[in-house]
Amino acid sequence: MTPAPLTCEAVRELLVLYPYGELTFDQEEAVDTHTARCAACAAEKNYLENLHNSLDEAAVHPSMELLATCRRDLRAAMAADTRSAWRRLLDAFLPAGAFAKPVAATAIFLAGFFGAKLVPQTTPETPVARTVRFIEPAGDGALRIGYDEISPRAVEGRVDEAAIRELLLAASTSPDDPALRVDSVEALKARGERGEVRQALTRALESDPNEGVRLKALEALKPYLAEHDVRTTLTRVLMSDESATVRTQAIDLLTSSRATQLEMTGVLQDLMRNEKNDYIRERSRNALRAVNASLETF
Amino acid sequence: MATADEASLIRAAQKGDQDAFAALVQTHDQAVLRIAMNLLRSPEEARDVYQEAFLRVFRNLDSFRFDCSFTTWLYRIVTNICLDHLRKRKVRREEPAENNEYNLLDAVEERRADNNPQRKLLTGELKNRILSALGGLTPRERIVFEMRHYQGLRLRAIGESLGTTEEAAKNCLFCATQKMRSALGDYA
């Protein structure tokens, strides 16, 4: 049986949910049928679609720097929280006295899991992270326990120092934490003239899975556009990066001087032929015109 | 419900596995920060929300019994903290003026920037009206709108996160949309 047609009032209510995919199949059908013959409701549907698009553009995307700051704050807060929790526990169960220190040491051992990842700084109270690998009998009722021990450390220094750079280069490929990679790229950019640093930056630009890290690496490489390896990497990124933002910034940089515009002529003509992104096509067109090059190849 | 991988992570974190807890944080913290930023439009307050939310998770993970998804549980914590912030603003009558808000809508203007002054004027006006319209929503409406429009959560999940029904969440979304509609008028 065909359901009764909806009134305009009912359709207006459903239209609010329509763009969110929250209607049933039948409700969507009913809305589509109604708006096909009701100009006022069709206009309302169109209006709400435009409203959605406008609101989409108002979305805020927190920066990677803010995320990194939040993670640092959290680590510090958790370390403090852990220490105060153990202190409360010890205060509750132990009288102050000769046994306090050994028991506190045991407590710190038990609390060791907070050590490595979430507590980056070493203080006299900082526990050591231990991961038990095996437990086996050692005879006479004793046990033999194998474990790995990670002791968190902090080191201070400038990026000019080899030891600091080494840590930063290692952090720039840290697989689990894009915020750490952003921080390391940001710190390394001051020494982009060094081969190993620029290599790390171009690798981050070309291969990092996180768009924020790639953008940060691209920014760090801006002063080194004169270097052939940088231009080559930027060109590959322009042609293949999945992010329109990264590609847009790549073409902005690559067409920022006449010398690079001339060098890029072939690539730009290729983009004029195949590129779908309007902005990139426009930039390509402008750059080709600036050097009096043909807009296409023949 | 939590996925198999996530359930393993949660169980490991409940037993004190630091890597598992760090992995849980890293899986969800960008979304948590995005929610807080979109709702509060203030990096300082978003930082506070982020920290308070994950500290609550850290302290109460033992009480998580898998009777809802971890995301729902986490978002319930986050939305409660954000609601507190929004309500405090209302009480103090300190809803930030447009000038004080973290105005990423400027980025919208930049992206759209062209040489058409009339277009720029309209974009700027739209930006102001969107901010004003968001400020005009009740804290609850703002949260439902944020979770549905920007986070893409289903109304049922939003209802669960807020400790209410899908129908109530739907009504909030309806009211929020109507308010946005009347505030934005022909600018949308």
Side-chain angles (χ1 to χ4, degrees):
Chain A
M1 194 174 74
T2 310
L6 295 174
T7 62
C8 287
E9 190 184 355
V11 168
R12 299 291 169 101
E13 285 192 15
L14 293 175
L15 280 176
V16 170
L17 301 175
Y18 187 92
Y20 293 118
E22 292 275 0
L23 298 183
T24 64
F25 180 79
D26 288 345
Q27 285 173 321
E28 278 196 14
E29 285 277 294
V31 168
D32 288 340
T33 307
H34 181 94
T35 51
R37 57 183 168 69
C38 174
C41 288
E44 176 68 8
K45 186 179 168 198
N46 191 38
Y47 176 87
L48 286 173
E49 278 168 6
N50 288 339
L51 176 65
H52 268 247
N53 293 337
S54 300
L55 292 168
D56 282 344
E57 295 198 51
V60 177
H61 301 285
S63 67
M64 293 306 285
E65 285 83 354
L66 181 61
L67 182 65
T69 307
C70 287
R71 286 179 176 174
R72 273 196 298 271
D73 290 350
L74 180 64
R75 286 177 196 129
M78 286 177 64
D81 201 61
T82 306
R83 283 197 290 272
S84 62
W86 278 109
R87 199 161 290 141
R88 281 197 300 276
L89 194 67
L90 292 171
D91 288 346
F93 288 99
L94 288 173
F99 295 108
K101 276 188 182 172
V103 178
T106 309
I108 286 171
F109 173 83
L110 291 171
F113 67 90
F114 296 114
K117 282 230 165 178
L118 300 169
V119 187
Q121 293 184 340
T122 303
T123 69
E125 296 177 65
T126 303
V128 170
R130 290 181 177 133
T131 306
V132 173
R133 293 290 171 209
F134 64 85
I135 302 171
E136 58 187 29
D140 297 334
L143 294 171
R144 200 160 82 88
I145 300 175
Y147 62 88
D148 296 338
E149 188 173 283
I150 302 169
S151 181
R153 294 277 183 273
V155 58
E156 286 182 17
R158 295 179 181 282
V159 72
D160 303 318
E161 297 165 33
I164 296 292
R165 267 200 316 279
E166 212 171 288
L167 287 169
L168 290 170
L169 289 169
S172 74
T173 57
S174 164
D176 300 326
D177 191 345
L180 193 61
R181 300 201 297 275
V182 164
D183 283 347
S184 58
V185 166
E186 174 67 25
L188 284 168
K189 77 176 183 187
R191 283 293 165 268
E193 77 279 3
R194 297 188 66 89
E196 80 274 19
V197 171
R198 213 166 54 243
Q199 202 179 350
L201 295 176
T202 51
R203 187 180 54 232
L205 170 59
E206 197 165 18
S207 317
D208 198 287
N210 184 285
E211 181 188 0
V213 179
R214 298 201 301 279
L215 285 168
K216 182 61 79 177
L218 192 147
E219 184 194 319
L221 286 166
K222 277 183 184 172
Y224 307 104
L225 190 59
E227 303 296 335
H228 183 261
D229 60 326
V230 173
R231 294 197 305 281
T232 308
T233 304
L234 279 166
T235 306
R236 281 199 296 266
V237 166
L238 168 62
M239 302 305 283
S240 62
D241 198 287
E242 64 189 21
S243 156
T245 312
V246 174
R247 297 182 66 223
T248 299
Q249 296 211 11
I251 196 165
D252 282 349
L253 192 53
L254 283 167
T255 55
S256 60
S257 76
R258 186 174 171 79
T260 51
Q261 284 170 343
L262 282 167
E263 190 183 63
M264 291 281 295
T265 302
V267 172
L268 296 172
Q269 287 169 333
D270 194 42
L271 287 169
M272 287 301 298
R273 209 169 42 247
N274 301 316
E275 179 59 46
K276 299 277 190 295
N277 182 305
D278 289 341
Y279 180 83
I280 291 173
R281 280 175 60 81
E282 186 62 26
R283 290 291 300 196
S284 302
R285 182 182 291 112
N286 292 343
L288 288 168
R289 281 185 178 148
V291 294
N292 293 323
S294 164
L295 295 186
E296 48 194 301
T297 49
F298 297 98
Chain B
M1 294 298 113
T3 61
D5 282 350
E6 189 165 77
S8 314
L9 277 180
I10 295 165
R11 288 199 181 89
Q14 285 175 327
K15 288 177 188 161
D17 182 331
Q18 56 150 342
D19 287 340
F21 187 80
L24 273 177
V25 170
Q26 284 175 18
T27 303
H28 294 281
D29 67 348
Q30 292 193 47
V32 166
L33 192 58
R34 198 165 53 239
I35 292 171
M37 276 293 292
N38 274 290
L39 282 170
L40 303 168
R41 305 254 163 183
S42 151
E44 288 74 27
E45 284 189 88
R47 273 172 73 176
D48 290 345
V49 170
Y50 176 104
Q51 179 162 319
E52 196 176 338
F54 283 112
L55 277 178
R56 282 194 200 175
V57 171
F58 178 57
R59 290 169 186 156
N60 298 300
L61 195 58
D62 280 349
S63 67
F64 180 70
R65 293 280 174 266
F66 295 90
D67 43 13
C68 64
S69 80
F70 180 74
T71 306
T72 300
W73 187 66
L74 172 63
Y75 284 6
R76 192 177 295 155
I77 292 171
V78 175
T79 50
N80 278 333
I81 299 169
C82 287
L83 269 173
D84 286 345
H85 276 254
L86 289 168
R87 284 173 183 144
K88 277 178 198 161
R89 277 187 188 175
K90 289 270 180 199
V91 169
R92 294 197 308 258
R93 297 184 179 282
E94 279 184 8
E95 187 74 19
E98 284 158 15
N99 289 344
N100 296 333
E101 290 212 344
Y102 181 68
N103 203 345
L104 269 195
L105 293 184
D106 285 340
V108 176
E109 195 168 12
E110 272 174 31
R111 280 203 302 276
R112 289 174 160 187
D114 51 33
N115 293 325
N116 183 339
Q118 194 181 5
R119 172 76 182 276
K120 282 181 88 168
L121 192 68
L122 283 173
T123 308
E125 184 63 26
L126 174 63
K127 174 187 74 178
N128 289 335
R129 282 177 181 255
I130 288 176
L131 285 175
S132 165
L134 285 170
L137 303 183
T138 66
R140 211 174 171 78
E141 287 166 354
R142 196 156 172 175
I143 282 183
V144 170
F145 178 77
E146 159 65 25
M147 305 285 267
R148 180 57 265 198
H149 194 90
Y150 293 125
Q151 301 302 319
L153 260 68
R154 308 292 300 178
L155 285 168
R156 177 178 294 180
I158 297 170
E160 280 179 20
S161 288
L162 291 173
T164 184
T165 61
E166 180 181 355
E167 199 57 31
K170 193 184 288 182
N171 287 337
C172 272
L173 181 67
F174 189 77
C175 290
T177 306
Q178 293 305 99
K179 284 185 185 177
M180 302 289 279
R181 191 193 191 297
S182 72
L184 292 173
D186 293 334
Y187 279 88

